[in-house]
Amino acid sequence: MSLVSLGLGYLPLIDAAPLIIAEELGFAAEEGLALDLTRMANWSQARDMLAMGAIAAAQMLVPMPVAQRMGLGPASPDFDLLMVLSQGGQAIAVSAALAARLRDVGHGFGFDDPAAARDALAGVTEGPLVIGVPFPFSTQAELVRRFVAGTDLVARLTIRTVPPPQMAAALASGEVDAFCVGEPWASHAVETAAGALLVAGRAIWQAAPEKGLVVTHRFAETRPEETARLIRAVWRACRWLDVPENRATAAEILARPAYLNLTPELCERGLLGRLHISAAGDIRPCPGFIRFHEGAANFPWRSLAALLAQGIAAAQGLDPVAAMAAAKAAFRTDLYRAALRPVGADLPAASARIEGALAAPTPARAEDGTMILGPDAFFDGATFDPDFQLR
């Protein structure tokens, strides 16, 4: 059987693993697909190449199709998010100078206590605080806003866009005071002694959705069979990646020159949840630092789209109700369900939920029986009910 070739864009991050593994381990070939993987320099390039039809699908920050459906950014065809590729995998890092100040006041860099980290940071900084994120409409920007909420850091904060591979250099040069980025680029800043890791993204939001598999709405509607095959191939790769024994192999594959072009050891840190938080080699175990599949991690909850839209609307001064309605249409729970029912995947009975309500793995109704949903709590105890917000 001849394989159908699909061009896919990705950025060199460990959460590109589902696309890379789908091709390298044959999950795509099992679905009759050959994935032509193209490494992108930044998220704007991924967005623009998808809009122009130069690629069929892209790894994309989950909030990007939300913002695009809200009319933010350049005019382009509507984007559809087919599935979430990963949760977590990010860290907030501070410059070496800030890290020294934090140690001087006794901060222990526990990596798992956002409130303590935030309060310590507020206590050692004066004046403006510039924090880098990879894109204005990103999970990282959402995490930063939640991290500083309720403190005087809000009034002093400037969020600046920096491509992930350039985060360490921006920190070292003083362009930013801190950043929030996905692995391995947070660890790269530690490796180059540019800074220290302050807190894990999963400590701020246990189910922070990091990347999604995105196509144009036209592609999804006019090429439904290939869309379904792509979902299944990547879903199988995500499932393989959440087997702990497979993570070291994944790191070896991702480290290759064609992909991340880094040492396997650097790629392993985030995948194995053993983060070096300083150049001195201090290690913090972080179980579940990144999740690719377990706990319904791949499901494109429409409530999640609404939550992200509300945050973007607040930051941009837009009508939140219209923003949430537009964003929910971009998360294609219908296509996800149709593609994965034939392979017996666990599928939630509902397409929306109260976000932030689960502090631990919890049984929930599925289309066929029950399933386990992963924890999704926010560190400050906040919840988001999309039905209430839209009433």
Side-chain angles (χ1 to χ4, degrees):
M1 179 180 67
S2 61
L3 302 180
V4 176
S5 179
L6 292 180
L8 268 66
Y10 74 95
L11 258 67
L13 294 139
I14 63 170
D15 50 41
L19 305 185
I20 294 168
I21 293 301
E23 177 60 19
E24 288 284 345
L25 297 191
F27 297 116
E30 289 175 10
E31 289 290 339
L33 301 176
L35 305 184
D36 181 9
L37 298 168
T38 301
R39 186 165 61 187
M40 304 288 167
N42 53 56
W43 294 114
S44 295
Q45 183 186 13
R47 174 200 63 202
D48 295 345
M49 288 190 68
L50 183 63
M52 293 186 298
I55 52 177
Q59 172 208 25
M60 196 172 282
L61 293 156
V62 169
M64 288 179 68
V66 171
Q68 190 264 350
R69 285 293 191 112
M70 291 169 59
L72 298 170
S76 63
D78 284 344
F79 290 166
D80 284 353
L81 185 138
L82 302 178
M83 61 184 289
V84 175
L85 296 175
S86 60
Q87 293 178 342
Q90 327 88 344
I92 291 179
V94 295
S95 68
L98 274 178
R101 283 188 233 163
L102 287 164
R103 291 191 186 94
D104 287 344
V105 299
H107 183 64
F109 285 85
F111 201 55
D112 61 354
D113 188 341
R118 175 197 63 198
D119 294 345
L121 183 62
V124 300
T125 58
E126 297 179 358
L129 180 70
V130 182
I131 299 184
V133 300
F135 199 71
F137 311 121
S138 61
T139 305
Q140 287 84 352
E142 176 74 17
L143 290 172
V144 168
R145 285 192 288 264
R146 287 184 176 273
F147 178 62
V148 304
T151 72
D152 73 333
L153 290 172
V154 174
R156 298 192 277 124
L157 176 67
T158 297
I159 294 179
R160 181 167 296 167
T161 300
V162 181
Q166 298 174 25
M167 285 290 189
L171 199 63
S173 69
E175 179 184 344
V176 298
D177 304 303
F179 64 64
C180 183
V181 76
E183 277 290 283
W185 301 110
S187 288
H188 179 63
V190 171
E191 209 52 12
T192 59
L197 304 190
L198 183 63
V199 67
R202 289 293 296 272
I204 299 169
W205 181 5
Q206 290 191 64
E210 181 52 25
K211 304 301 188 306
L213 179 63
V214 178
V215 299
T216 63
H217 182 73
R218 177 176 174 78
F219 183 94
E221 295 301 305
T222 61
R223 299 169 71 173
E225 183 57 34
E226 290 165 21
T227 298
R229 291 182 190 180
L230 181 60
I231 291 171
R232 286 192 292 268
V234 176
W235 177 84
R236 289 189 173 103
C238 288
R239 183 176 60 176
W240 182 90
L241 281 160
D242 262 5
V243 176
E245 294 78 10
N246 293 338
R247 292 288 181 96
T249 299
E252 293 280 350
I253 294 171
L254 291 175
R256 293 174 185 171
Y259 299 125
L260 271 62
N261 193 26
L262 295 168
T263 65
E265 190 276 334
L266 198 61
C267 295
E268 275 187 349
R269 295 183 189 181
L271 288 170
L272 300 183
R274 286 178 52 82
L275 281 297
H276 294 231
I277 58 103
S278 75
D282 299 325
I283 294 175
R284 298 290 183 270
C286 190
F289 177 74
I290 187 168
R291 186 163 61 206
F292 293 100
H293 177 73
E294 294 300 318
N298 303 128
F299 192 73
W301 297 97
R302 290 185 173 173
S303 48
L304 177 60
L307 182 154
L308 294 170
Q310 185 192 57
I312 293 170
Q316 299 290 319
L318 301 175
D319 174 24
V321 174
M324 288 188 285
K328 288 166 71 174
F331 278 40
R332 298 302 301 271
T333 57
D334 55 335
L335 300 181
Y336 184 88
R337 292 180 188 280
L340 293 174
R341 280 190 192 111
V343 297
D346 285 335
L347 298 168
S351 293
R353 62 179 180 175
I354 299 175
E355 298 288 336
L358 306 181
T362 303
R365 287 180 56 236
E367 284 190 356
D368 184 12
T370 61
M371 63 186 297
I372 302 297
L373 300 183
D376 73 336
F378 298 102
F379 83 103
D380 58 2
T383 60
F384 175 83
D385 183 343
D387 290 334
F388 174 78
Q389 296 291 336
L390 289 173
R391 281 201 293 268

